[in-house]
Amino acid sequence: MQSEHERRAYLRAMGIDVWVPRDQVDDEPAPVETETQAGPGEMGWDALRAAVAACERCTLHESRTQTVFGVGNPDADWMIIGEAPGAEEDRRGEPFVGRAGKLLDEMLLAVGQGRNSVFIANILKCRPPNNRDPSQDEAAACRPYLERQIALVQPGIILAVGRVAAQQLLQTDAPVGRLRGKVHQLGATPLVVTYHPAYLLRSPSQKRKSWHDLCMAASIMAGGTA
Ligand code: SF4
């Protein structure tokens, strides 16, 4: 658990000067299901990871350097879902690296969550060429993997980061500005939408809104009503 001092330091790093909520909770970790064969809907972690690494369900397998499965705590309370790997992620095999990843880390640390305590995944496991948006076909082809990851993690809260993740998860074309600031449901799991850190780097004036989104998510995890 962070000290108040540390939390404020992370907020300062984000360029946000606000009061920090003290509430943090240690919910009981959800059980991890055992591994089976068959489709993603029944796989355990090892089989799922292997299936993604070998996947050719869409044409993105032709141009990827490697798949980007996801990273973090398989029993996480918080699940962070972004769009798709970029060039650096494709090279390193890890989601949210580089400047945007660093900002995401700072945002999460500000609410007491380290990169290793959450689980971070993307809508797509392979990089779209030139960082274009995922197509509907690609998102649909990759969705069973993400759904299985969510089922295995059983998070208490999902944070959809950025327009593509929010629109794909909620199956809407509404802009992030309309989707953030409220609590959605993905099945039984509460879902909060916030801006992508790459966008926040370009538009730092929006950081305060993102901070409110994270506070709302933290409040839900603390048993509040946001
Ligand atoms: S993006 Fe998803 S569905 Fe497409 S090849 Fe990669 S892992 Fe398979």
Side-chain angles (χ1 to χ4, degrees):
M1 185 69 68
Q2 297 175 293
S3 68
E4 185 68 15
H5 176 77
E6 288 173 316
R7 208 172 289 141
R8 283 171 181 272
Y10 293 125
L11 283 169
R12 276 198 298 277
M14 290 170 60
I16 294 173
D17 183 20
V18 294
W19 292 100
V20 182
R22 295 171 182 276
D23 52 322
Q24 300 297 332
V25 292
D26 290 314
D27 277 11
E28 227 177 86
V32 177
E33 296 176 21
T34 54
E35 183 174 327
T36 61
Q37 71 300 344
E42 298 179 20
M43 289 178 177
W45 282 112
D46 290 347
L48 187 62
R49 191 180 291 276
V52 168
C55 181
E56 297 183 355
R57 288 169 61 104
C58 80
T59 56
L60 294 180
H61 78 274
E62 296 168 359
S63 53
R64 72 187 176 210
T65 301
Q66 60 188 315
T67 54
V68 179
F69 180 76
V71 66
N73 179 0
D75 294 326
D77 289 332
W78 289 58
M79 189 157 179
I80 318 301
I81 301 178
E83 172 181 338
E88 184 73 0
E89 287 84 2
D90 175 70
R91 191 174 65 77
R92 288 173 52 177
E94 183 174 340
F96 283 100
V97 295
R99 286 181 67 217
K102 187 167 181 293
L103 178 56
L104 178 67
D105 289 348
E106 287 165 352
M107 292 164 64
L108 291 171
L109 283 166
V111 288
Q113 299 296 318
R115 176 169 277 248
N116 293 330
S117 66
V118 303
F119 192 89
I120 306 176
N122 280 319
I123 297 290
L124 293 188
K125 312 305 186 200
C126 302
R127 181 195 180 202
N130 303 314
N131 295 338
R132 63 161 170 74
D133 283 358
S135 72
Q136 287 300 331
D137 285 350
E138 291 160 355
C142 216
R143 179 118 183 174
Y145 299 129
L146 180 62
E147 287 178 349
R148 187 59 185 154
Q149 287 177 312
I150 295 170
L152 287 167
V153 174
Q154 296 185 8
I157 185 79
I158 291 174
L159 189 67
V161 176
R163 174 181 57 85
V164 170
Q167 291 180 343
Q168 285 292 336
L169 288 168
L170 297 172
Q171 292 294 288
T172 176
D173 56 6
V176 171
R178 287 233 312 273
L179 296 173
R180 61 162 297 278
K182 63 186 84 163
V183 183
H184 306 268
Q185 290 290 136
L186 189 69
T189 309
L191 183 151
V192 169
V193 172
T194 195
Y195 293 112
H196 196 285
Y199 170 75
L200 295 176
L201 289 171
R202 297 191 303 271
S203 306
S205 63
Q206 302 296 325
K207 285 182 179 176
R208 182 175 291 271
K209 291 181 183 171
S210 250
W211 170 239
H212 287 306
D213 297 332
L214 265 70
C215 288
M216 183 165 63
S219 172
I220 293 165
M221 284 307 299
T225 53

